[in-house]
Amino acid sequence: MHFFGYAFAILSAVCSARAQLVNANNNTFGNVFNFWTKRTDGWDLTRGNSTNAITLALPHPEGNVTIQPAASALVIIDMQNFFLHPDLGGDPLGRALVPTTIDMIHAFRANGMKVFWTNWGLTEFDLMSMPPAFFRGFSSDGTSATSFGSDMGTIQGNISVGRKLMRGSWNAQPFGDLFEEQVGGVANGTDFYFNKNRLSGMWGTSTPMQTFLEDNLITTLFFGGVNIDQCVWGTLLDSYYKGYDVILVDDISATTSPSAATGMVDFNAALNGWRANSTDILPTLM
């Protein structure tokens, strides 16, 4: 038999045996490559790697969630000047999230879990390929002249706001103290910055964030940021579609939308994964 035939036969036998082992247990959900284990006290998401595992008591009817720190990350979405700075009409509810978000960042780093910054950061090519609905949605006055890529002028006399949500512009950088956290974290290798060109940071066949997740075997994602019903929800939902564990952290998420929008996200996030608050997570991590 040809070498590749032998290799394929061996791989098939191993996968078949492992699949039978996994499927023989009615408390195991998934497949040989990606599975959860249901326990009497909740769920084990470590996929068989329990080294330094952490168990979080989340407010979910099905109990605790045990995670593998090396396979877990905090995803912070769109906490940018454009959405939060008061001189740009930013959301005060979003600004109020900053201290708790920083507490979460520090706790994740301390436990060896990565921090992802997933923000709008457009290029000239993105402008060439952007659908008309997005240009309309980000127009300030109903014309395309004030949408993506337009010059937003200056504020406070000397701050150049830059072109709307373009990569490297001041308006696209993290807001307030989050900017120092992001710069310091990236420099120290604990944090990673991913630009996106749609509401979802996981939209499309592959994105920079998804490639990083795959390369680093990260499977469990905690989500926060703005807006909870738009970019946070879109990124969480695409992550869920692609097979990642999704945990929405409510008290580091906000929106300018009516309360019903948050209610929809909370309801469906609990079906797709889990909902939590930082108060459910920080005591264990700290």
Side-chain angles (χ1 to χ4, degrees), residues 130-186:
M130 188 71 68
F134 284 83
F135 278 108
R136 183 185 71 170
F138 280 81
S139 169
S140 299
D141 63 1
T143 72
S144 59
T146 59
S147 189
F148 290 127
S150 61
D151 188 346
M152 297 184 67
T154 61
I155 59 172
Q156 300 179 14
N158 61 354
I159 297 178
S160 175
V161 179
R163 296 171 65 198
K164 184 178 288 187
L165 292 176
M166 295 297 288
R167 192 172 301 185
S169 67
W170 179 88
N171 74 88
Q173 76 182 30
F175 169 74
D177 292 340
L178 293 174
F179 182 58
E180 285 189 17
E181 290 290 340
Q182 177 256 311
V183 171
V186 170

Side-chain angles (χ1 to χ4, degrees), residues 109 181-192:
R109 289 174 182 163
E181 290 290 340
Q182 177 256 311
V183 171
V186 170
N188 291 331
T190 59
D191 297 21
F192 301 86

Side-chain angles (χ1 to χ4, degrees), residues 117-250:
W117 302 82
T118 308
N119 293 336
W120 283 98
L122 302 176
T123 64
E124 296 298 334
F125 178 78
D126 291 328
L127 295 183
M128 293 172 58
S129 56
M130 188 71 68
F134 284 83
F135 278 108
R136 183 185 71 170
F138 280 81
S139 169
S140 299
D141 63 1
T143 72
S144 59
T146 59
S147 189
F148 290 127
S150 61
D151 188 346
M152 297 184 67
T154 61
I155 59 172
Q156 300 179 14
N158 61 354
I159 297 178
S160 175
V161 179
R163 296 171 65 198
K164 184 178 288 187
L165 292 176
M166 295 297 288
R167 192 172 301 185
S169 67
W170 179 88
N171 74 88
Q173 76 182 30
F175 169 74
D177 292 340
L178 293 174
F179 182 58
E180 285 189 17
E181 290 290 340
Q182 177 256 311
V183 171
V186 170
N188 291 331
T190 59
D191 297 21
F192 301 86
Y193 194 96
F194 301 99
N195 294 291
K196 64 185 179 71
N197 59 9
R198 295 293 190 274
L199 272 68
S200 168
M202 291 284 276
W203 171 84
T205 304
S206 184
T207 69
M209 188 171 86
Q210 182 180 350
T211 299
F212 188 93
L213 292 171
E214 293 170 352
D215 289 346
N216 290 272
L217 303 179
I218 295 173
T219 52
T220 303
L221 304 176
F222 295 75
F223 294 89
V226 295
N227 281 313
I228 190 174
D229 57 316
Q230 297 169 14
C231 293
V232 176
W233 175 237
T235 307
L236 182 151
L237 196 59
D238 276 343
S239 300
Y240 164 68
Y241 289 155
K242 293 182 178 184
Y244 295 92
D245 315 332
V246 295
I247 302 172
L248 175 67
V249 186
D250 276 314

